[in-house]
């Protein structure tokens, strides 16, 4: 009997966790373990690179075709408004949840600031004000499309593909040949994704083994309260808030959703990259959850760069955590600044592993916290990144189902 891809991915995830714990127990300095971790690193990197190879053409063709297939400008308007409305709502709920939990449990109080001394403070992030960040973010949306394609600037590619799709809608049959070409390009990309997914079980096993073998458990133990608060709120948002929104608005059973989305969620957990997971997310939404390809092709690629529930939740929690470490009490006004700054930072964060660490500097500086405090988060960031990426991807799939329902009702 042939084992399904979902089952293969699940079994490989379990084996990867077991192998990583075995490596950690044997000691990462052992020659055999070093070679095993190196091999896992090669396999994991190969899997992610293969996904990223098809990412740019997949995003470009899926959004352009998705928008063009809506045909009617009024239909496009409904999808656009519904999508943005859901993204803002879900991220706002995630940030509010993080602020409430952080104020209630107050993680970070009582921890020694000496931990900053031994942490790596070499973070490649530009020091910039909120106004500078907004200006840079808007400027990055509209750049030469060929430059964006060459540099894999996903957000700029999304914007150009969106405008191209609208032009194809307004032009009608006049540009039919271009639309057919884009549709065939999309079909080719999805065929290549199918080939790459045959390597998914091996890639996920390698990624998880490498992650658990290299994690610094001693530092993680000193930050246990913060980790518990972040994980608790992230899982609460992912397994209660988002499924509740899905059930109330789209009338879709959470059990049915998680069954259809499992493949993408496990891949997101292993890769910590919503962009690398995008091909799998699209496949789950269209084939397992039966989202209209024109809806999924518009909502999900846009969500992979602009809908970051897990990242927004983490950055809001981390800002209050750092404030507690520094002995600074943030008033309501300052926490409102954290709210809005975190939302913009999450929208601007690229869908790559630990991308939130770069935009975290902006969130801290918006309320006068030391940017150097990001260093204490480095030892635990990779672990937490796996969970928040999973929730980011879940939010994109939930959004596609909700938008489909709202458009049908209208």
């Amino acid at each position: 009997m042939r084992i399904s891809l979902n089952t293969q991915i699940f079994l490989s995830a379990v084996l990867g966790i077991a192998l990583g714990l075995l490596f950690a127990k044997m000691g990462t300095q052992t020659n055999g373990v070093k070679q095993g971790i190196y091999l896992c690193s090669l396999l994991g990197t190969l899997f992610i690179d293969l996904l990223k190879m098809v990412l740019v053409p997949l995003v470009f063709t899926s959004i352009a075709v998705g928008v063009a297939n809506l045909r009617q400008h009024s239909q496009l308007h409904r999808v656009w408004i519904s999508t943005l409305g859901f993204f803002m709502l879900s991220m706002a709920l995630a940030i509010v949840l993080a602020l409430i939990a952080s104020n209630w449990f107050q993680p970070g109080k009582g921890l020694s600031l000496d931990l900053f001394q031994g942490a790596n403070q070499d973070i490649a992030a530009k020091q910039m004000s909120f106004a500078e960040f907004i200006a840079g973010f808007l400027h990055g949306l509209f750049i030469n499309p060929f430059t964006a394609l060459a540099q894999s600037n996903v957000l700029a590619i999304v914007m150009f593909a969106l405008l191209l799709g609208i032009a194809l809608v307004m032009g009608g049959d006049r540009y039919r040949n271009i639309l057919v070409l884009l549709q065939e390009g999309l079909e080719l990309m999805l065929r290549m994704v199918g080939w790459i997914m045959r390597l998914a079980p091996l890639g996920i096993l390698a990624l998880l083994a490498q992650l658990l073998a290299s994690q610094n458990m001693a530092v993680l133990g000193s930050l246990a309260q913060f980790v518990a608060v972040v994980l608790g709120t992230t899982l609460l948002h992912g397994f209660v808030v988002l499924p509740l929104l899905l059930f109330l608005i789209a009338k879709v059973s959470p059990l049915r959703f998680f069954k259809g989305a499992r493949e993408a969620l496990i891949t997101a957990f292993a890769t910590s990259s919503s962009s690398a997971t995008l091909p799998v997310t699209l496949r789950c939404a269209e084939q397992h959850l039966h989202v209209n390809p024109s809806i999924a092709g518009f909502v999900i690629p846009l969500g992979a760069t602009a809908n970051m529930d897990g990242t927004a939740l983490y950055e809001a929690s981390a800002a209050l955590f750092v404030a507690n470490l520094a002995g600074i009490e943030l008033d309501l006004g300052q926490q409102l600044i954290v709210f809005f700054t975190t939302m913009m930072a999450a929208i601007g964060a690229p869908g790559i592993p630990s991308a939130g660490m770069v935009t975290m500097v902006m969130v801290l500086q918006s309320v006068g916290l030391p940017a150097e405090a990001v260093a204490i988060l480095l030892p635990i960031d990779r672990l937490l990144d796996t969970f928040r990426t999973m929730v980011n991807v879940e939010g994109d799939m939930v959004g596609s189902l909700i938008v489909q329902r709202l458009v049908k009702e209208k």
Side-chain angles (χ1 to χ4, degrees), residues 110-124:
L111 287 182
S112 173
L113 289 176
D114 293 340
L115 288 172
F116 287 106
Q117 304 302 319
N120 177 20
Q121 299 187 26
D122 185 20
I123 301 173

Side-chain angles (χ1 to χ4, degrees), residues 327-404:
I328 299 174
E329 293 287 340
L330 297 181
D331 59 25
L332 180 60
Q334 289 172 313
Q335 292 194 32
L336 283 175
I337 292 175
V338 169
F339 176 90
F340 290 110
T341 311
T342 300
M343 183 171 289
M344 290 304 302
I347 292 173
I352 58 176
S354 300
M357 298 305 295
V358 178
T359 53
M360 174 63 72
V361 173
M362 184 200 75
V363 176
L364 295 177
Q365 290 187 326
S366 69
V367 287
L369 295 172
E372 294 77 15
V374 181
I376 198 174
L377 303 172
L378 289 178
I380 59 172
D381 178 69
R382 187 66 180 87
L383 176 64
L384 296 176
D385 197 17
T386 59
F387 289 92
R388 66 176 182 258
T389 303
M390 183 172 65
V391 171
N392 289 343
V393 170
E394 179 191 352
D396 297 340
M397 289 186 285
V398 168
S400 66
L401 286 164
I402 287 178
V403 169
Q404 179 170 260

Side-chain angles (χ1 to χ4, degrees), residues 43-65:
L43 293 174
T45 302
L46 174 63
F47 176 59
I48 291 180
D49 287 344
L50 284 171
L51 287 174
K52 288 183 176 180
M53 178 183 70
V54 299
L55 171 66
V56 169
L58 178 65
V59 168
F60 177 74
T61 54
S62 65
I63 290 185
V65 171

Side-chain angles (χ1 to χ4, degrees), residues 50-310:
L50 284 171
L51 287 174
K52 288 183 176 180
M53 178 183 70
V54 299
L55 171 66
V56 169
L58 178 65
V59 168
F60 177 74
T61 54
S62 65
I63 290 185
V65 171
V67 174
N69 282 340
L70 294 176
R71 292 297 178 186
Q72 298 300 320
H73 189 63
S74 60
Q75 182 82 340
L76 171 62
H77 178 72
R78 291 173 181 175
V79 172
W80 176 251
I81 295 299
S82 300
T83 301
L84 282 187
F86 172 77
F87 287 174
M88 300 296 284
L89 173 64
S90 63
M91 281 197 291
L93 290 174
I95 297 171
V96 169
L97 180 61
L99 293 176
I100 291 174
S102 296
N103 280 291
W104 182 270
F105 294 103
Q106 296 187 328
K109 283 202 170 180
L111 287 182
S112 173
L113 289 176
D114 293 340
L115 288 172
F116 287 106
Q117 304 302 319
N120 177 20
Q121 299 187 26
D122 185 20
I123 301 173
K126 181 184 177 183
Q127 307 293 314
M128 53 184 168
S129 66
F130 178 72
E132 289 172 333
F133 176 82
I134 296 296
F137 171 72
L138 293 176
H139 176 70
L141 289 179
F142 306 100
I143 65 175
N144 186 322
F146 296 102
T147 301
L149 289 168
Q151 297 177 350
S152 297
N153 186 334
V154 178
L155 205 57
I157 293 170
V158 166
M159 184 57 63
F160 179 72
L162 175 64
L163 294 175
L164 178 62
I166 293 174
L168 289 173
V169 170
M170 303 302 290
D173 290 338
R174 184 177 181 182
Y175 306 119
R176 183 169 52 85
N177 291 337
I178 296 177
L179 178 57
V180 170
L181 179 64
L182 289 172
Q183 288 173 331
E184 291 178 349
L186 178 59
E187 291 172 4
L188 281 174
M189 290 303 105
L190 292 177
R191 182 180 292 271
M192 292 176 67
V193 169
W195 296 343
I196 294 170
M197 283 309 298
R198 294 179 185 177
L199 300 175
L202 186 61
I204 287 172
L205 186 152
L207 287 164
L208 288 177
Q210 180 193 3
L211 169 65
L212 292 178
S214 59
Q215 188 65 46
N216 189 333
M217 296 299 175
V219 178
L220 184 60
S222 67
L223 303 172
Q225 188 184 15
F226 173 67
V227 171
V229 170
V230 173
L231 287 183
T233 49
T234 301
L235 294 176
L236 180 64
H237 185 75
F239 288 96
V240 177
V241 177
L242 287 176
L244 187 60
L245 286 175
L246 180 64
F247 181 74
L248 292 177
I249 302 175
K251 313 299 181 187
V252 174
S253 162
L255 186 62
R256 179 200 153 201
F257 170 77
F258 284 115
K259 185 178 179 181
R262 180 173 53 186
E263 182 181 315
L265 296 180
I266 294 175
T267 305
F269 182 85
T271 62
S272 296
S273 172
S274 52
S275 292
T277 311
L278 181 58
V280 190
T281 310
L282 279 169
R283 172 179 158 132
C284 286
E286 294 178 10
Q287 297 183 10
H288 303 329
L289 299 174
H290 307 295
V291 179
N292 189 311
S294 64
I295 299 290
F298 176 80
V299 176
I300 291 177
L302 184 62
T305 56
N307 182 39
M308 300 281 188
D309 291 9

